[in-house]
Amino acid sequence: MDTVGNIDIAGNIQKNNSIKNELNSCDCKKDINKLVEKLSLFNKMYNLVRVVDPVKKRVYECKEDNFCELDSYCYQFWKQDKICDNCISMRAYRDNDTFIKIEYVKEKVFIVTAVPVNLGDKIVIVELLKDVTSSMVVGDDVVQGSNEIYSIINNLNQIAIKDSLTELFNRRYINERLPVDILNSVIMNKPISIIMADLDHFKSVNDKYGHVNGDMVLKAFAETLTGSVRKGKDWVARYGGEEFLICLPETDTNTAAEIAERMRNSIQNKTFIYEGKRFRITASFGICTFSGNACITIEDFIESADKKLYDAKKEGRNRVKF
């Protein structure tokens, strides 16, 4: 079993484990006061100014001269019961850069700007929300109501995190979502497993049957993976090329191995047809489970699963290693 300990999110989760404690610490008071003074200037320019902990999804609103922690998660402002798929605050946190996107709630359209701010040796994300409903022009012949507006905005946001070929999540989504799921596992004291999956000899499929058929195989593999996991809890992403990452929150190694074995059997039993000729393909799987107390980076967590995938390839392919 390949097991790792507490994940060091974005370099050092222990340094950024609780923004609330950091904001309340005596050492940060001077920096906080300076930040509040600066943010107060934005209160007249924006409808809402807030500080977000993108990993723990906690939110602090800037009202007058004080930060006020809300008894809710940042995404609940958007009337969502789940973490946003396209979290620009997480992206701003990881990339240390400013990002902007459009969101829609309560028949209002908002421009959201996420800005990383250094608070001493810490990084917090300032979100600036501007209601632009009245200043947006949408043709009545194109959009007839709020549902259409929401659909357009949601589709635009989904494009940023979806792989166009397989319609799975992409590498960007992995970088934004995996740290959050890991931290949730730490808080709940429950295991989390990831599976790295890779099609065997995929290059030969492209060479022999063409890239169009190669794309068909990738889509079928993606459907096999998504059909083997829990909807709404687990998620699947295309890591790159013919390699995929499957995230299984609250899942131990044995259960992850059963899921991977189900995926392996499913793909090897599929039959593809090219110019009247039938062919099959297999896949290899590597599993890593998060539990324990050691510190490791997100990249090392993925690499641990990738090493098990490499072992599966080295030992003959079409197998699961954990």
Side-chain angles (χ1 to χ4, degrees):
M1 174 165 56
D2 194 17
T3 305
V4 299
N6 291 340
I7 300 302
D8 186 5
I9 297 173
N12 194 339
I13 190 174
Q14 294 177 349
K15 281 188 178 181
N16 298 287
N17 195 36
S18 174
I19 288 184
K20 180 180 178 181
N21 291 337
E22 314 248 349
L23 293 178
N24 290 331
S25 68
C26 294
D27 294 339
C28 290
K29 283 186 177 179
K30 291 183 179 179
D31 293 324
I32 294 170
N33 290 333
K34 290 180 181 178
L35 181 58
V36 171
E37 289 176 4
K38 293 178 180 179
L39 291 179
S40 63
L41 300 174
F42 291 95
N43 286 331
K44 295 181 180 179
M45 300 169 57
Y46 292 87
N47 298 91
L48 181 62
V49 178
R50 61 186 196 169
V51 174
V52 171
D53 174 352
V55 177
K56 299 185 74 173
K57 302 304 177 186
R58 303 306 300 172
V59 58
Y60 308 83
E61 285 191 8
C62 182
K63 295 184 176 180
E64 296 180 352
D65 293 331
N66 294 300
F67 279 121
C68 176
E69 182 185 7
L70 303 184
D71 187 24
S72 61
Y73 293 101
C74 59
Y75 53 80
Q76 289 175 330
F77 177 85
W78 309 110
K79 302 302 178 184
Q80 298 289 326
D81 295 326
K82 64 183 183 67
I83 297 168
C84 300
D85 286 337
N86 187 21
C87 179
I88 60 168
S89 287
M90 191 65 191
R91 199 175 309 159
Y93 179 82
R94 288 188 58 91
D95 295 351
N96 195 27
D97 200 358
T98 298
F99 290 91
I100 299 173
K101 76 170 179 177
I102 300 174
E103 280 290 3
Y104 180 77
V105 66
K106 292 183 178 179
E107 299 185 355
K108 290 184 179 294
V109 179
F110 288 88
I111 292 288
V112 186
T113 305
V115 184
V117 176
N118 289 316
L119 193 63
D121 60 346
K122 315 300 186 296
I123 295 179
V124 295
I125 303 302
V126 174
E127 282 192 353
L128 308 171
L129 284 71
K130 179 71 172 178
D131 181 357
V132 295
T133 308
S134 60
S135 60
M136 291 191 70
V137 178
V138 182
D140 292 336
D141 57 334
V142 178
V143 179
Q144 300 297 325
S146 60
N147 288 336
E148 286 84 355
I149 295 174
Y150 178 84
S151 178
I152 290 171
I153 293 173
N154 186 58
N155 286 339
L156 288 173
N157 287 331
Q158 287 293 315
I159 288 172
I161 55 165
K162 287 292 184 72
D163 175 61
S164 59
L165 175 65
T166 63
E167 297 185 355
L168 298 178
F169 292 115
N170 59 19
R171 189 75 167 266
R172 171 178 286 177
Y173 185 81
I174 295 173
N175 291 336
E176 294 173 6
R177 181 58 186 266
L178 186 56
V180 176
D181 283 338
I182 291 169
L183 185 62
N184 285 337
S185 293
V186 173
I187 294 171
M188 294 185 297
N189 195 28
K190 292 184 178 180
I192 178 172
S193 295
I194 59 172
I195 303 172
M196 296 300 291
D198 187 85
L199 287 168
D200 298 328
H201 301 298
F202 183 69
K203 184 179 181 300
S204 64
V205 173
N206 280 330
D207 292 344
K208 189 173 182 179
Y209 304 108
H211 288 278
V212 172
N213 284 283
D215 288 349
M216 177 185 66
V217 171
L218 286 174
K219 290 178 182 178
F221 190 43
E223 291 173 0
T224 297
L225 299 179
T226 54
S228 303
V229 300
R230 299 165 295 183
K231 187 176 181 180
K233 194 174 188 71
D234 306 327
W235 50 270
V236 184
R238 188 179 181 187
Y239 191 72
E242 64 270 24
E243 193 170 6
F244 297 79
L245 183 147
I246 303 99
C247 181
L248 307 171
E250 300 179 34
T251 303
D252 59 22
T253 305
N254 291 334
T255 304
E258 292 174 3
I259 293 170
E261 187 62 29
R262 185 161 65 242
M263 293 172 174
R264 188 193 66 79
N265 276 319
S266 235
I267 194 62
Q268 78 167 356
N269 290 327
K270 284 186 181 296
T271 301
F272 300 93
I273 301 175
Y274 174 70
E275 294 183 349
K277 296 181 180 179
R278 297 175 180 268
F279 70 93
R280 291 185 177 182
I281 193 166
T282 61
S284 301
F285 300 81
I287 300 171
C288 186
T289 299
F290 161 76
S291 61
N293 298 311
C295 289
I296 190 171
T297 64
I298 293 294
E299 290 75 18
D300 286 341
F301 185 36
I302 295 175
E303 185 179 354
S304 295
D306 215 30
K307 284 180 178 178
K308 289 302 174 183
L309 172 60
Y310 176 78
D311 289 343
K313 296 278 190 181
K314 188 170 61 175
E315 293 180 17
R317 297 179 170 81
N318 192 25
R319 64 192 64 214
V320 176
K321 292 293 293 183
F322 58 92

